[in-house]
Amino acid sequence: MSKQTQIRNFSIIAHIDHGKSTLADRILDFTGALSEREKQDQFLDKMDLERERGITIKLQSVRLPYKAKDGQEYILNLIDTPGHVDFSYEVSRSLQACEGALLVVDAAQGVEAQTLANVYLALENDLEIIPVINKIDLPSADPERVKDEVEEVIGLDASDAVLASAKAGIGIEEILEQIVEKVPAPKGDPDAPLQALIFDSFYDAYKGVIVYMRVVEGTIRKGMKIKMMATGKTFEVLEVGAYNPHPVAMDELSVGEVGFVVASIKNVKDTRVGDTITDAVTPAAEPLPGYRKTNPMVFCGLYPVDSSQYEDLREALEKLELNDASLAYEPETSNALGFGFRCGFLGLLHMEIIQERIEREFQISLITTAPSVVYHVYLTDGSVLQIENPTLMPEVQKIDHIEEPFVRASIMVPNDFVGTVMELCQTKRGQYIDMKYLDTNRVNLQYDLPLSEIVYDFFDLLKSSTKGYASFDYELIGNKTSNLVKMDVLLNGEVVDALSFIVHRDRAQHRGRLLVEKLKKLIPRQMFEIPVQAAIGNKVVARENISAIRKNVLAKCYGGDISRKRKLLEKQKEGKKRMKAVGSVEVPQEAFMAVLKMEEK
Amino acid sequence: MTPPKAVYIHIPFCATKCHYCDFTAYVVEGQPVDDYLDALAKEIEMTVRDAPPEQLESIFIGGGTPTVLTPVQMKKMLDIIQTYFPERAPAIEYTMEANPGTTTPELLAVIRDGGVNRLSFGAQTFEPHLLREIGRSHGVSEIATSVKEARTAGISNISLDLMFGLPNQSLDQMRDTLERAVALSPDHFSCYSLKVEEGTLFYHLEERGQLPLPDEEVEYGMYQLIRDYLLQQGYAQYEVSNFSKQGRESKHNSTYWKNESYYGFGAGAHGYVHGTRHVNVKGISEYVSRIDRGERPILQQEKIPLQEQMENYFILGLRLLEGVSLQQFKQQYGQPADHVFGDAIETLVNKQFLRVEGDIIRLTEQGLLFGNDVFVQFLY
């Protein structure tokens, strides 16, 4: 147990690549939390995937004892946050669990859009923000310029900003001192009815769900009956504790403390991020503010390439769901692809991560249909449908109008690329909102854009057209009416439902043409000619033919080298494994995502 | 298992390297050819000590270009072969690969005296600019001259290699090449389609989009033209790429297609002896030094598992238009083919790729054109 006045809860806000994980490691290292053996890079990012992508997906927290220069012992709780817009709600909850935040800004690159978004979240939560200018040892570092930028763009006093290099271990102690000095100790009454904020949970095969939480009021003890205020579920606490960074069991966690709770919870869906844990016997009058259920924004169909793996795919999704309350799925059937699941994700990154984990950890080769957003379809009979699978779009005659989700995008970009980005936003049906100069060279552009365009290829195009200099963030702002149509794709005269997509009427013909051209390239020639058509209703808007292949035989002598022949055949066999038979046509996996990979020219 | 009845010897030297070639072959200038031949003798000696031969039915000296050897070196090589493989069937097929323009009457006499009774000339095409474009070191007129001189020397069994699907090659050019080739009245043709292999000049050109290969439709047309024209001229197709006059089918290559064993000697050579396949090291100096240390120059070897042997029986055997025998399969592997490949055979028969006639399974016309789709079905 620690004295409430000696506790400091903080998190780190940083753009990808600005060195958050390295800094976290240095802090662990400095406070003596890591043994020599554990000083592998990026201790906090547990999953391989996270480490490979250099991003944090699941949050972690760690409790660090620190003896400050004032001679007193403090408990610092570092709460790590995911660094991607898909997970912004999770970020906001972990920020709510803190009193302070380190704002890490790259000394050469300055403030980025994502950083800004998270800073605003921190400011909304009244956090004390400590600016840290990182990577000052880089030759291109310009800390003074970046300090100015922090002051101008964010409006923070950066005169005391710590000049640091996490990589070189510069400035770590000063960061810790500023945390002790500036971040307020948690308020609250240890004897009040329990209110603890869940900011993450995680499924453990042995203990069930492990809940990461921050005690805001009262005290949580082993043996206590607790209740989740949003879901109403009650559990008995088997274990409380904290990570140092290894789990250490404790008798209780009192007001202001951060740690974990184990209570035989079988499903992460019972421990929703943002929910409040209270005492089941003497509950708090009301939950902590800010809870909302996160809804999936992006949907796609997941199908096993090998249909016999359908049950394996179900098991994989069940296992992933244990650990991911925001993953939603339900069975669906496609004429083209057979049995699969329609899955909902927080965003594109979330979708890619789940796909990759299924393929990698469960070894199921997947066909993914192009992602779709949720369309609100108003029918002429006055009813409203929510359509997240283009195939299910009703006939045109029955539709009064369709609404689609829009986001407000904020794009930070060097001066030189403003024209390019504006042009891109226009072609993506964007509506100009605002443009602000951050300094003489950098501009923050705001556009309202249909989410579906972002789900398509907006991010890739933004990166490529600005040579990677643009940074980008968005928030959902609601639905707007758009003139949308459903485009079908026919292979060999048959509609392939898995290839249908929704598109703005003005761009339909163009997209249709691009798609059939792309499919012609992706689908290998077969023993018969295959017409590829794009159609709106019964009207064909584009057509290509994949001509028949006339022969496929190796007419070459490799002498006695049989292995060369076998290798060629094995390659052909492997290629065939990645094909899905749609009617009589063999279609490669990539074709189902082709709608995303079209170059708009 | 019976000892191999076939010998392959690799001479990895050429006057120049062709633009499409990825075989083990080095420009001969400055190479230690005599050391190589000495090493070759030792490799053969080491091998036959462990796996002695019986009566041979075929010998094939390939390359590279064996005919870049000087008459003295040539004699030395043929003597080595004579020393270690003295027992030969009366009708032995003894082939040497040759490039047009490299066979002087003097060299031909040595070759003939050494027992060689079949020459396989790499003619490739009769279009002068195409020969240059693919990096051949000979011209068109040398093809006819070499064939004539070979016959004069008394080597009457002649095969020509032709290539199709060459850069910018047209159907008309292919027809012209066939007419001129047939006019020389060889006994046998091997017609190979150009395959761009990694590590060749053509590969790099293709990567950069600078290799104007004919489109598939044209290449298909060439293949059909070759088949039709040669058949009409009295050359029966007996394998995917091979055509011959009656009784002149290559015995040596049939060894490969029938999945039978063969010795393989020389740098980069493949062998298949007593159920083990091996490939030799490819570098000349490595080959020579390994042998100098008293080691066999093997890069990799593998005892072929039963399943793979059975697969190879079909994958290779079906390339022959005469097909494969189910009875023989059973004799060789102790189980009926339909126990192992019943599904594959049924699928392929239903697709009309294969035809079963009593004991024999063979490719249909469609199956021949889509041979890879047939063979791939037999892979486990």
Side-chain angles (χ1 to χ4, degrees):
Chain A
M1 244 212 72
S2 45
K3 270 197 287 177
Q4 195 173 335
T5 52
Q6 308 301 99
I7 298 173
R8 300 290 182 270
N9 296 325
F10 72 103
S11 60
I12 306 176
I13 296 170
H15 183 72
I16 296 175
D17 301 336
H18 283 194
K20 183 175 76 168
S21 299
T22 317
L23 179 61
D25 280 350
R26 288 296 158 272
I27 290 175
L28 261 64
D29 194 9
F30 193 89
T31 56
L34 291 186
S35 69
E36 277 304 317
R37 192 173 53 82
E38 289 162 347
K39 284 180 193 167
Q40 54 171 321
D41 280 338
Q42 304 192 2
F43 187 85
L44 289 184
D45 292 349
K46 270 190 184 162
M47 285 196 285
D48 287 348
L49 207 59
E50 294 182 22
R51 202 162 291 179
E52 273 171 39
R53 290 183 170 226
I55 48 167
T56 310
I57 302 159
K58 295 299 279 187
L59 312 173
Q60 308 287 338
S61 70
V62 58
R63 178 186 174 107
L64 306 162
Y66 175 64
K67 186 165 183 174
K69 285 183 178 163
D70 63 10
Q72 301 201 54
E73 293 276 354
Y74 290 87
I75 294 293
L76 310 185
N77 289 307
L78 164 58
I79 297 173
D80 203 13
T81 57
H84 193 275
V85 55
D86 282 4
F87 305 101
S88 61
Y89 179 68
E90 278 79 352
V91 177
S92 78
R93 292 311 87 191
S94 45
L95 292 176
Q96 201 191 331
C98 301
E99 278 79 23
L102 300 177
L103 168 63
V104 180
V105 182
D106 186 299
Q109 291 176 22
V111 178
E112 303 284 353
Q114 238 164 55
T115 330
L116 200 59
N118 286 345
V119 171
Y120 289 142
L121 281 175
L123 290 172
E124 276 170 34
N125 284 295
D126 288 328
L127 264 54
E128 178 66 35
I129 294 175
I130 299 170
V132 175
I133 315 290
N134 194 24
K135 305 196 187 179
I136 54 156
D137 54 336
L138 286 183
S140 54
D142 188 354
E144 287 311 313
R145 180 182 64 80
V146 173
K147 272 190 190 180
D148 288 348
E149 199 175 275
V150 168
E151 297 197 341
E152 278 169 37
V153 177
I154 307 175
L156 278 177
D157 176 8
S159 53
D160 287 344
V162 185
L163 301 184
S165 165
K167 208 169 168 193
I170 301 167
I172 307 301
E173 189 173 18
E174 197 190 335
I175 290 171
L176 295 171
E177 285 297 321
Q178 286 206 11
I179 291 170
V180 167
E181 198 182 307
K182 294 186 173 169
V183 175
K187 299 191 186 75
D189 175 3
D191 299 320
L194 175 66
Q195 280 180 313
L197 174 72
I198 301 177
F199 60 86
D200 194 18
S201 61
F202 150 81
Y203 185 82
D204 179 278
Y206 300 102
K207 297 186 169 177
V209 177
I210 297 175
V211 184
Y212 293 75
M213 48 100 238
R214 146 82 194 262
V215 182
V216 180
E217 292 286 351
T219 302
I220 189 165
R221 296 185 183 82
K222 197 173 157 179
M224 193 169 167
K225 279 250 190 299
I226 53 167
K227 181 176 166 188
M228 307 297 169
M229 295 186 81
T231 61
K233 298 274 171 71
T234 58
F235 303 95
E236 185 183 327
V237 177
L238 299 180
E239 212 179 295
V240 295
Y243 291 89
N244 76 351
H246 305 286
V248 177
M250 297 160 72
D251 295 330
E252 60 174 48
L253 288 170
S254 188
V255 75
E257 289 190 287
V258 175
F260 65 84
V261 174
V262 174
S264 297
I265 304 168
K266 298 211 171 46
N267 194 331
V268 280
K269 296 209 192 293
D270 293 334
T271 58
R272 298 203 171 264
V273 170
D275 196 0
T276 304
I277 304 173
T278 192
D279 187 336
V281 184
T282 50
E286 53 189 33
L288 295 163
Y291 170 74
R292 69 179 157 90
K293 192 168 175 278
T294 47
N295 288 317
M297 304 229 290
V298 174
F299 291 82
C300 75
L302 294 184
Y303 292 83
V305 173
D306 174 358
S307 347
S308 69
Q309 284 195 304
Y310 174 73
E311 284 304 323
D312 299 341
L313 178 56
R314 178 198 299 280
E315 273 175 38
L317 286 167
E318 276 167 6
K319 283 197 180 131
L320 290 171
E321 189 194 17
L322 284 177
N323 223 341
D324 187 342
S326 42
L327 171 66
Y329 63 91
E330 58 183 37
E332 75 171 4
T333 320
S334 151
N335 294 336
L337 301 177
F339 293 105
F341 296 91
R342 174 114 318 223
C343 303
F345 307 94
L346 296 175
L348 275 187
L349 179 76
H350 187 213
M351 178 178 100
E352 280 171 30
I353 287 166
I354 296 290
Q355 285 165 12
E356 239 179 280
R357 291 189 64 188
I358 292 173
E359 296 213 317
R360 206 185 279 201
E361 293 169 29
F362 300 91
Q363 266 143 42
I364 300 168
S365 190
L366 285 180
I367 286 178
T368 313
T369 63
S372 166
V373 300
V374 183
Y375 295 95
H376 291 204
V377 182
Y378 291 80
L379 300 181
T380 47
D381 67 4
S383 60
V384 186
L385 294 176
Q386 301 214 357
I387 299 289
E388 62 212 32
N389 179 351
T391 313
L392 303 176
M393 187 62 78
E395 290 165 50
V396 190
Q397 298 88 320
K398 291 185 180 166
I399 300 173
D400 183 65
H401 68 283
I402 304 174
E403 286 183 0
E404 63 177 329
F406 270 71
V407 299
R408 177 148 305 167
S410 134
I411 303 156
M412 283 193 190
V413 68
N415 227 349
D416 299 349
F417 295 109
V418 168
T420 319
V421 172
M422 290 179 101
E423 207 174 297
L424 174 64
C425 290
Q426 299 291 354
T427 60
K428 294 296 178 188
R429 303 190 279 134
Q431 199 185 337
Y432 171 84
I433 300 297
D434 189 21
M435 174 165 120
K436 273 204 188 91
Y437 272 84
L438 303 174
D439 55 36
T440 48
N441 184 37
R442 279 157 42 93
V443 176
N444 189 14
L445 278 168
Q446 282 201 322
Y447 268 87
D448 284 355
L449 287 157
L451 177 62
S452 65
E453 297 289 351
I454 293 184
V455 162
Y456 267 50
D457 52 0
F458 181 79
F459 196 38
D460 287 344
L461 290 176
L462 180 68
K463 272 194 293 190
S464 59
S465 63
T466 61
K467 300 182 178 149
Y469 279 115
S471 68
F472 165 65
D473 193 59
Y474 64 85
E475 59 174 334
L476 205 60
I477 53 168
N479 291 303
K480 292 185 186 178
T481 302
S482 292
N483 189 3
L484 301 170
V485 291
K486 176 179 142 192
M487 177 85 78
D488 288 320
V489 176
L490 293 85
L491 286 183
N492 214 16
E494 300 281 328
V495 173
V496 180
D497 56 1
L499 285 171
S500 298
F501 61 102
I502 310 285
V503 60
H504 193 269
R505 189 178 291 276
D506 295 346
R507 310 195 60 77
Q509 178 144 10
H510 182 62
R511 279 256 172 89
R513 188 164 347 101
L514 288 174
L515 181 61
V516 296
E517 280 166 13
K518 183 82 189 175
L519 287 172
K520 183 181 176 174
K521 281 189 201 134
L522 285 173
I523 299 173
R525 295 165 59 195
Q526 302 181 21
M527 287 178 63
F528 46 90
E529 187 181 70
I530 307 163
V532 184
Q533 294 157 296
I536 301 170
N538 292 324
K539 190 178 160 229
V540 172
V541 296
R543 178 185 171 125
E544 289 279 340
N545 281 335
I546 300 172
S547 58
I549 188 170
R550 305 297 292 274
K551 74 175 175 63
N552 173 28
V553 64
L554 180 67
K556 175 167 175 172
C557 183
Y558 286 115
D561 187 357
I562 274 82
S563 60
R564 293 274 290 267
K565 292 196 171 96
R566 286 186 64 102
K567 260 178 218 152
L568 280 170
L569 294 173
E570 266 150 24
K571 207 169 143 196
Q572 179 176 337
K573 194 177 166 193
E574 279 308 306
K576 179 125 177 149
K577 271 193 202 156
R578 292 192 298 273
M579 302 276 202
K580 188 89 186 174
V582 175
S584 49
V585 185
E586 299 271 342
V587 183
Q589 271 168 306
E590 313 88 78
F592 296 96
M593 290 289 277
V595 67
L596 282 188
K597 306 274 153 76
M598 296 183 298
E599 293 184 16
E600 300 267 353
K601 278 287 162 204
Chain B
M1 235 175 255
T2 53
K5 294 188 170 76
V7 172
Y8 177 80
I9 290 181
H10 193 73
I11 303 299
F13 306 116
C14 284
T16 56
K17 183 101 177 165
C18 300
H19 300 339
Y20 53 84
C21 172
D22 75 326
F23 288 108
T24 307
Y26 307 94
V27 174
V28 67
E29 200 181 322
Q31 292 285 352
V33 177
D34 286 294
D35 293 352
Y36 180 79
L37 294 178
D38 291 338
L40 186 65
K42 285 186 201 145
E43 188 199 358
I44 298 174
E45 186 189 356
M46 280 187 263
T47 307
V48 298
R49 203 167 49 211
D50 295 341
E54 287 172 11
Q55 199 181 59
L56 292 186
E57 288 178 359
S58 72
I59 303 173
F60 195 103
I61 303 169
T65 313
T67 47
V68 295
L69 298 187
T70 64
V72 174
Q73 291 165 336
M74 183 63 81
K75 180 166 188 330
K76 179 171 164 181
M77 175 180 69
L78 296 171
D79 284 349
I80 293 167
I81 298 169
Q82 177 61 39
T83 305
Y84 294 105
F85 297 104
E87 279 194 61
R88 299 169 185 184
I92 186 167
E93 177 190 280
Y94 194 163
T95 308
M96 185 179 292
E97 283 188 323
N99 269 354
T102 57
T103 48
T104 60
E106 187 194 2
L107 187 69
L108 284 166
V110 175
I111 292 170
R112 175 203 59 214
D113 292 344
V116 174
N117 56 22
R118 183 173 181 265
L119 280 176
S120 171
F121 283 103
Q124 316 311 7
T125 174
F126 284 73
E127 191 67 35
H129 81 270
L130 273 180
L131 281 174
R132 278 195 302 277
E133 210 157 306
I134 64 177
R136 301 291 294 173
S137 53
H138 61 88
V140 169
S141 62
E142 282 153 309
I143 304 173
T145 310
S146 289
V147 168
K148 198 172 137 209
E149 286 175 352
R151 289 191 175 124
T152 307
I155 303 174
S156 61
N157 190 355
I158 304 290
S159 176
L160 292 187
D161 281 1
L162 297 179
M163 290 179 84
F164 64 100
L166 299 173
N168 281 327
Q169 192 180 23
S170 69
L171 261 177
D172 284 342
Q173 288 171 341
M174 190 69 232
R175 195 187 318 271
D176 181 64
T177 281
L178 284 168
E179 282 168 10
R180 298 221 230 166
V182 167
L184 299 177
S185 193
D187 304 85
H188 182 277
F189 281 104
S190 294
C191 300
Y192 300 128
S193 71
L194 173 68
K195 191 164 181 310
V196 179
E197 305 278 2
E198 225 172 303
T200 61
L201 177 65
F202 273 7
Y203 185 82
H204 293 292
L205 289 177
E206 195 183 32
E207 291 271 279
R208 280 184 271 153
Q210 292 169 0
L211 193 66
L213 296 176
D215 68 33
E216 281 183 78
E217 199 64 22
V218 173
E219 203 232 8
Y220 166 78
M222 289 181 187
Y223 185 57
Q224 293 297 41
L225 173 67
I226 291 166
R227 296 176 66 209
D228 292 346
Y229 185 80
L230 289 181
L231 180 65
Q232 186 194 314
Q233 298 295 322
Y235 296 90
Q237 182 175 18
Y238 69 97
E239 194 262 354
V240 173
S241 313
N242 287 277
F243 305 81
S244 80
K245 287 185 181 164
Q246 176 98 46
R248 289 298 207 181
E249 298 84 2
S250 164
K251 286 184 196 168
H252 184 82
N253 283 344
S254 295
T255 308
Y256 303 148
W257 297 318
K258 289 180 175 162
N259 201 23
E260 291 166 354
S261 60
Y262 51 94
Y263 294 103
F265 302 110
H270 289 255
Y272 182 31
V273 179
H274 296 324
T276 298
R277 289 191 184 272
H278 78 84
V279 57
N280 277 349
V281 296
K282 299 186 171 146
I284 303 296
S285 59
E286 196 187 354
Y287 175 80
V288 171
S289 65
R290 286 276 287 266
I291 287 170
D292 281 349
R293 290 201 300 270
E295 295 166 22
R296 288 191 60 196
I298 289 173
L299 177 66
Q300 264 180 344
Q301 62 179 341
E302 191 200 358
K303 179 103 189 142
I304 303 300
L306 179 65
Q307 174 69 26
E308 196 173 320
Q309 287 180 42
M310 294 190 292
E311 291 170 11
N312 289 344
Y313 181 87
F314 278 96
I315 291 171
L316 298 166
L318 284 173
R319 296 184 72 87
L320 288 169
L321 270 56
E322 67 178 41
V324 297
S325 154
L326 295 172
Q327 192 56 41
Q328 201 192 331
F329 181 94
K330 198 177 162 193
Q331 271 167 21
Q332 225 156 309
Y333 304 110
Q335 48 194 319
D338 57 355
H339 281 197
V340 194
F341 299 117
D343 289 350
I345 293 169
E346 195 190 322
T347 308
L348 291 166
V349 168
N350 286 340
K351 281 192 179 171
Q352 302 190 322
F353 279 171
L354 286 183
R355 195 167 41 229
V356 185
E357 285 164 15
D359 177 46
I360 300 297
I361 297 190
R362 61 167 67 99
L363 295 176
T364 60
E365 167 72 13
Q366 190 74 340
L368 173 67
L369 293 172
F370 290 91
N372 289 353
D373 296 313
V374 174
F375 308 143
V376 82
Q377 286 277 344
F378 287 92
L379 286 187
Y380 180 67

